[in-house]
Amino acid sequence: MPLLLRILKLLTLSAAFLMAGAQQLGLTFDDGLNPDTEPHAPRWSAQILAGLRQAELTAMAFPSLARTGEGQGLALIRQWAEAGHAIGNHTASHRSLSLPSITLAGFIADVDRTDAVFGSYPNRVPLLRFPYLKEGNSVERRDGMRAWMQAHGYRAAPVSIDASDGYYDQVYAAHIAKGDTDRASRVKRAYIQHLLDRASYYEALAVTTLGRSPAHVLRLHTNQINADALGEIVAAFRARDWTLVNPCIAFDDPLYARQPETLPAGETIVWALARQAGHAGLRYPAEDSTDEAPVLCAQGLLP
Ligand SMILES: [Zn+2]
């Protein structure tokens, strides 16, 4: 092989190697916590903020007034904002846009009401995280929200990677409540492995569907298991060569401006685009406890 061709081949292989280890990941945290109903809320929120600070990471929070309440929970979100994390919108009442009982106008009013509370916070961003990742079960709702967002300087904030952190949190909390720290810690280990597995799954689905590895956005929640595990989660991703980035940078990836035409609309953006492309074997909803519970049961980890 001529020298020039050999050099070109070497450069191509090197670029492919660098790309293979270059998956980017931004962390987002949905909901917020309410100290008026959950006495541990200030500690869990502080633990997550400390974990982010120690890992030198900037994240993005999507608070919903239904989850924060309108008392001390707002002060917790202000702490996130003042620590430099971006604050998006997750609606006031945390209702799915696919619910028959909500109208498009009612959903928009929910977005507006959240803005009236968080709009003046530092680092507020006009990004909307749909509750339950449900973006409407009709063309009228799906496209109505897209038109409203475009007219009001808003963007949707989809995720590329979702995982059942709420389900793992319930199982973890049940063991903690019973004082079973051994099984709680085994659930935490299983949860971290689950996050890594779901990230690999969505990365592979993205490469198949888009033909490239996008900057990923992971959805987590402000809950107990993430408060206790955040440092280990970040270390586990970094050990697998993921580069953690500011989600504001991840959202610049053109993937997040795509508007799949699937109905019901929503789930992860990678899942929706794969479904639109006719990818077989996609479960709906994309993430729940159907596959997770048997795995924990087999390890004797269900309460
Ligand atoms: Zn939520």
Side-chain angles (χ1 to χ4, degrees), residues 91-112:
T91 78
S93 66
H94 203 276
R95 285 179 293 175
S96 159
L97 185 53
S98 295
L99 274 183
S101 58
I102 194 165
T103 62
L104 179 59
F107 190 84
I108 290 169
D110 255 5
V111 174
D112 279 338

Side-chain angles (χ1 to χ4, degrees), residues 29-32 62-64 67 90-91 94 129-133 219-221:
F29 291 85
D30 284 12
D31 290 357
F62 289 96
S64 167
R67 299 290 188 259
H90 194 38
T91 78
H94 203 276
R129 169 70 45 81
F130 286 83
Y132 312 102
L133 304 182
R219 177 173 78 141
L220 298 172
H221 291 82

Side-chain angles (χ1 to χ4, degrees), residues 17-28 57-58 158-161 195 198-200 202-204 206-207 210 212-219 234 237-238 240-256 269-270:
F17 175 77
L18 285 172
M19 288 302 290
Q23 295 109 323
Q24 294 188 326
L25 181 69
L27 301 183
T28 63
L57 287 177
T58 301
V159 305
S160 64
I161 303 169
L195 287 180
R198 298 322 286 159
S200 297
Y202 284 108
E203 162 68 0
V207 170
L210 311 172
R212 68 184 180 89
S213 170
H216 285 277
V217 172
L218 171 65
R219 177 173 78 141
V234 170
F237 273 97
R238 284 177 170 161
R240 294 238 184 148
D241 283 339
W242 286 78
T243 300
L244 277 92
V245 299
N246 186 329
C248 289
I249 294 170
F251 277 125
D252 281 343
D253 190 295
L255 168 64
Y256 300 99
I269 185 92
V270 171

